[in-house]
Amino acid sequence: MNELKHLLEPYPRVFVVYDRKVEAKALQLSEGHKAFAIDADENHKTLGQAEDICRSLMNENANRDALLLTIGGGITSDIGGFAAGIYKRGIRFATVPTTLLAMVDAAIGGKTGVNLDGYKNMIGVFHRPEFVCLIPEFLETLPEKELRAGKAELLKTFLIQDGENYTKAVQAIQKGEDLLPFIKKAAAIKQSITDQDPREKSLRKILNLGHSWAHAIEWKSQESISHGDAVAMGIIRAARLSENLNIAPEGLTDSITADFKACGLPTECPYADTELLQAILKDKKAGGKGLDIILLENIGKAVIKNISADDLLEH
Ligand SMILES: NC(=O)c1ccc[n+]([C@@H]2O[C@H](COP(=O)([O-])OP(=O)(O)OC[C@H]3O[C@@H](n4cnc5c(N)ncnc54)[C@H](O)[C@@H]3O)[C@@H](O)[C@H]2O)c1
């Protein structure tokens, strides 16, 4: 709390946008600043809600020197960051992530946006936060399903680039130990990757490990399988493909599957490989150029490989 106060000191005017579900704590943190509540669900992640935020800022005579602080999960930072990115052609933005997923992923890297006609994140801008303030107490009220989603993204980040912390994080999750050191490490990895490739021209794509499958699983299940669970299942598929293409050593998939199970993450999805691959190919509209798929050479080492549709279906 004091850390946030300190971080906000340099900004002459601060406006807060917070998720209604964390209202009590958010209002405490917003003391002395004008604060607006939003409904943080995908149906409200819209241009209309971003417009409402802009209107509230205008009604409060917010100028270019204002800072917009979001307090909430990825939906709140995506909408609030987007509103900050477009209000008066851009005011500064900062965030207090309140979900595990936002702490390790959504709050970092400057992607902001809203959905359009049910299509996710169709409209958005790159707008980097001035700072991300971690307040771990928010995790105490987070539902199990949301914690699982965050754990999947946390382990994904270490699988991509930090094998040592992957093993340690798996153990910490299993034993129910404090995850804060791992949250900080995973956030730093995402920060470093997005600093090197802010606009996702190449390197940043590795953060999408497992996500091609995850999107297909979510779509096929008509969203009854959550994004977090789909990511865990997708990572297992990516590992299996890496093995089948002889990119990863034999046994890698079994080893990650055992780790995920021990961490309470789902590993098996109800759809056959071919069904999912058809959906992936359709989604990505893979032409003659093939698809950029994120694969694992080993634990802690992800690579981007361009794979033809034929090879994908064969393996
Ligand atoms: N910008 C990016 O780089 C990026 C990356 C990943 C995901 N995202 C986006 O983030 C969103 C998902 O983020 P999320 O998982 O943080 O979801 P979220 O913001 O929807 O939060 C999940 C649920 O938990 C509730 N909640 C939030 N904090 C809580 C707390 N401390 N205690 C109790 N309940 C709490 C929310 O109201 C919501 O119901 C998606 O819209 C996705 O597109 C963005």
Side-chain angles (χ1 to χ4, degrees), residues 19-22 40-42 45 72-78 98-102 105-113 115 120-121 137-143 146 149 153 190 204 227:
D19 176 350
R20 218 180 283 284
K21 285 227 184 100
V22 295
D41 61 68
E42 292 292 343
K45 190 177 167 183
I75 291 191
T76 309
S77 51
D78 273 11
T98 65
T99 63
L100 182 54
L101 183 139
D105 189 356
I108 300 149
K111 277 190 186 173
T112 72
N115 304 331
K120 286 195 181 167
N121 305 322
E137 294 89 80
F138 275 108
L139 298 179
E140 289 162 13
T141 54
L142 200 62
E146 305 301 341
E153 296 287 359
K190 177 159 184 195
R204 187 172 177 159
H227 178 68

Side-chain angles (χ1 to χ4, degrees), residues 218-257:
E218 284 176 88
W219 176 73
K220 279 203 82 69
S221 77
Q222 298 181 328
E223 318 288 330
S224 68
I225 296 178
S226 72
H227 178 68
D229 286 350
V231 166
M233 297 167 188
I235 291 171
I236 302 298
R237 297 292 169 123
R240 175 73 62 211
L241 180 63
S242 309
E243 267 192 65
N244 290 350
L245 290 167
N246 292 320
I247 288 170
E250 216 180 298
L252 182 86
T253 317
D254 289 347
S255 160
I256 298 174
T257 303

Side-chain angles (χ1 to χ4, degrees), residues 104-126:
V104 299
D105 189 356
I108 300 149
K111 277 190 186 173
T112 72
V114 295
N115 304 331
L116 181 67
D117 295 342
Y119 291 93
K120 286 195 181 167
N121 305 322
M122 286 304 286
I123 298 176
V125 292
F126 283 97

Side-chain angles (χ1 to χ4, degrees), residues 3 17 63-64 66 84 89 126 134 150 156 221 223 292 304:
E3 193 202 339
V17 168
N63 286 326
R64 295 288 309 278
R89 300 191 182 84
F126 283 97
L134 276 186
K156 176 208 76 178
S221 77
E223 318 288 330
D292 282 340
I304 305 171

